[in-house]
Amino acid sequence: MKIRKATKVDFSYIAYLMNKEYSKPPYNEKWEKKNAVKTLNYFEEIGEIFVLVEEKIIGFIVTREEYYNKGGSTWIEELIVDSEFQGKGYGKKLVEYVENKCRKKKIKRIVLMTGKDALAFHFYKKMGYTPSKKTV
């Protein structure tokens, strides 16, 4: 297993994963490849995309940093692991990778948003993240 920064060459397969996973409940969203790639290009401009690779890409995480908050914050914009590989610790590895990057940069706050009906909600709670009572 290897985690590395995504390249433009990876975007086509990442777009496939976005469509595959977001087309399922509770999201039920169909992503056209061109729109997914456009979104990935935007994410690359404002942040970083990391892929988790076994023999192929099986997941990715998108992050961006903001520095207007005491010492900065890292936002997790997207986290997707291919459903064939979920429940095997790969999502946890991607989040831990980001947490380690934050520690090295002395960023003490990681922010993310997910719906309470999403599988990710329970995943993040299990990893120690707590829902905010301050946002709507």
Side-chain angles (χ1 to χ4, degrees):
M1 178 200 71
K2 179 181 180 180
I3 297 175
R4 62 168 172 78
K5 195 165 184 174
T7 65
K8 296 267 190 208
V9 174
D10 298 323
F11 285 10
S12 180
Y13 194 77
I14 294 170
Y16 160 77
L17 279 180
M18 290 172 76
N19 184 53
K20 178 182 178 185
E21 298 308 322
Y22 279 133
S23 66
K24 299 173 185 174
Y27 312 106
N28 301 312
E29 297 174 6
K30 297 283 186 200
W31 279 79
E32 290 183 24
K33 183 178 176 181
K34 71 176 185 172
N35 290 334
V37 170
K38 190 174 183 179
T39 299
L40 292 166
N41 280 314
Y42 171 72
F43 281 148
E44 186 182 50
E45 284 179 30
I46 66 165
E48 294 181 295
I49 305 169
F50 300 99
V51 292
L52 188 146
V53 182
E54 283 285 352
E55 293 178 16
K56 63 179 181 177
I57 295 171
I58 60 172
F60 70 96
I61 192 166
V62 178
T63 64
R64 68 180 165 86
E65 295 174 5
E66 293 182 350
Y67 289 95
Y68 61 81
N69 198 340
K70 301 174 188 169
S73 299
T74 291
W75 280 78
I76 296 177
E77 295 287 346
E78 296 286 343
L79 170 64
I80 293 179
V81 174
D82 189 324
S83 53
E84 296 172 37
F85 298 92
Q86 290 177 9
K88 298 179 180 177
Y90 293 117
K92 182 178 179 180
K93 294 279 186 205
L94 283 163
V95 172
E96 287 173 342
Y97 182 84
V98 170
E99 290 172 342
N100 288 332
K101 282 182 63 68
C102 289
R103 273 192 283 284
K104 288 177 186 173
K105 291 183 169 187
K106 305 220 184 306
I107 294 173
K108 295 179 180 170
R109 185 170 186 238
I110 296 176
V111 183
L112 56 99
M113 278 194 234
T114 190
K116 288 186 177 182
D117 60 341
L119 292 172
F121 183 81
H122 302 288
F123 165 79
Y124 287 120
K125 279 187 78 172
K126 189 175 171 183
M127 288 203 62
Y129 290 84
T130 55
S132 172
K133 295 176 184 167
K134 296 179 183 180
T135 58
V136 177

